[in-house]
Amino acid sequence: MITVDPIKLHSQHFLEVWVKAVGNEALRYVCKGGRGSGKSTMIAAIIIEEVMSNPTTALCVRKVAHTLEESVYEERKNAIDRMGVTHLWRTYKSPLRLTYKK
């Protein structure tokens, strides 16, 4: 597991979800909040943390596929940057993919 200050990754509002997610306290979470509340930011950080902590593959889907690059892909890349682990990841544009080097 990486050591990162979760407050730097997303709003204080979702701190409890972050703690439970990285502590593997639950399998599913319901995050409520309006547009711009930080849900996507927090979820992106949790996914990156999980991939780095456990050898796993994460698949992110979206109803409207042509916006994947501008939303899901960019949000994960931003999480990697905020976490300070850019050097541990490879990014690919075609197909859209983020690969953990380890």
Side-chain angles (χ1 to χ4, degrees):
M1 184 180 328
I2 64 168
T3 55
V4 66
D5 182 1
I7 301 301
K8 292 180 181 178
L9 300 177
H10 44 77
S11 71
Q12 180 79 23
H13 180 74
F14 294 109
L15 180 59
E16 183 180 346
V17 176
W18 168 268
V19 170
K20 289 184 178 188
V22 298
N24 295 319
E25 292 182 32
L27 182 60
R28 293 180 181 89
Y29 306 92
V30 176
C31 300
K32 296 181 180 182
R35 188 174 182 172
S37 66
K39 295 182 303 289
S40 297
T41 303
M42 184 268 309
I43 291 167
I46 288 172
I47 290 170
I48 298 302
E49 173 74 27
E50 277 298 312
V51 170
M52 293 178 65
S53 299
N54 306 300
T56 188
T57 299
L59 172 67
C60 300
V61 295
R62 187 175 170 98
K63 185 176 181 180
V64 181
H66 73 275
T67 59
L68 274 171
E69 182 178 354
E70 297 146 5
S71 60
V72 175
Y73 180 75
E74 283 301 319
E75 193 67 59
R76 272 47 181 185
K77 277 181 47 180
N78 289 339
I80 290 167
D81 290 341
R82 282 190 309 275
M83 295 168 99
V85 293
T86 307
H87 62 287
L88 299 175
W89 290 82
R90 276 198 194 99
T91 61
Y92 303 91
K93 284 278 196 171
S94 182
L96 291 177
R97 183 176 52 176
L98 300 168
T99 303
Y100 183 48
K101 291 179 183 179
K102 289 189 179 186

